[in-house]
Amino acid sequence: MRQAWQIVRRALQALSCRESPVMPLLSDDQLRTFAERGSVVIPDVIPQPLIKAAMQRIDQLIERSPPPADRHGFHFYWEAIEADPDPLVALLQDSPAWETIKSLIAPLVLAEPEQVQVSLNIPVWNHRPGGPHIDGLTIPEPSGRPGTFTVLAGIFLTDQTATDMGNLWVWPGSHHIAAAYLREHGPDALFDIVHPTYPMASPEQVLGRAGDLFLGHYLLGHNMGGNMSAVIRRVVYFRLRAEDHRKRWQACVQDPLLEFEPARIALDRAR
């Protein structure tokens, strides 16, 4: 099985190179959007062969452990990243996504991913989130450290070209508000804002197509919305850290662009 997948992986890498000859590194506009709003969607990053292989892998997960028959709304699969190649990890590391994310945090180095989340949103689910949350706080790491990271990378495997298709909801600019709160109250107050209640801009639903790449700041408030479409929404998420992030997390949550120097530079150029 391992040998067969390695053959498939090499073929997918070759197709990926042919379909994406130019690395879609981030433009100044995209960097400024990330800096100001806390998220950005990069179109057409993942080649179709990688999407197809990942969809088949998710089909296997569902067959092995199907959602309850009456399930509507969110259903997750959390997969540890092993040494063996995996079509889900290939979405990130065998596509232009990896270099794109590296370009967001340069000159910092992007650490290898530790886990992948498959996020399903099963219709029909008439739901509107009451507010946002911040990841990694309800279950801290074994050391007691909050589970902070650098950037949330989401890869769309199904289209979400209109609202209420299981879209992710984001609260634009809330990463700056969170950082200001933590500068005032100290970084350990992060545990107090699992579900932040400070004033924020109105939420927006993230739109995109299969193959698009969503990049979200760790402190950006977000949540999952309802799905009134006829399609199960599929997104694969990676919670990525710059190397040594765990050593400087307290500084990171008080300076929201500390690990995003290219975004800071692009923002400064526009001023």
Side-chain angles (χ1 to χ4, degrees), residues 143-165:
S143 65
R145 191 193 80 85
T148 64
F149 50 89
T150 302
V151 61
L152 178 66
I155 294 172
F156 292 69
L157 297 183
T158 56
D159 291 345
Q160 297 152 64
T161 54
T163 59
D164 301 320
M165 296 182 67

Side-chain angles (χ1 to χ4, degrees), residues 98-251:
W98 187 251
E99 292 298 325
T100 300
I101 300 167
K102 285 169 61 177
S103 75
L104 178 62
I105 69 168
L108 298 179
V109 176
L110 189 61
E112 293 293 315
E114 300 173 5
Q115 189 181 59
V116 57
Q117 177 193 12
V118 175
S119 176
L120 307 182
N121 192 320
I122 303 170
V124 172
W125 190 38
N126 187 9
H127 171 72
R128 302 183 76 80
H133 67 259
I134 295 176
D135 288 342
L137 303 178
T138 53
I139 304 177
E141 293 187 353
S143 65
R145 191 193 80 85
T148 64
F149 50 89
T150 302
V151 61
L152 178 66
I155 294 172
F156 292 69
L157 297 183
T158 56
D159 291 345
Q160 297 152 64
T161 54
T163 59
D164 301 320
M165 296 182 67
N167 312 61
L168 183 71
W169 287 43
V170 297
W171 277 253
S174 57
H175 60 312
H176 289 294
I177 301 170
Y181 178 92
L182 295 168
R183 286 195 297 271
E184 179 180 355
H185 297 278
D188 290 332
L190 185 60
F191 285 111
D192 300 331
I193 56 172
V194 178
H195 301 283
T197 58
Y198 35 66
M200 289 170 279
S202 298
E204 297 178 2
Q205 298 189 45
V206 177
L207 305 181
R209 295 183 179 275
D212 292 354
L213 172 66
F214 167 85
L215 298 176
H217 192 285
Y218 168 71
L219 288 174
L220 181 72
H222 62 280
N223 215 329
M224 183 183 288
N227 188 354
M228 302 302 291
S229 76
V231 177
I232 297 176
R233 186 220 70 173
R234 293 184 177 189
V235 176
V236 172
Y237 286 113
F238 297 89
R239 289 161 174 82
L240 301 173
R241 295 180 178 89
E243 286 190 0
D244 295 326
H245 169 87
R246 286 184 171 95
K247 296 179 181 178
R248 59 174 172 263
W249 74 267
Q250 293 171 314

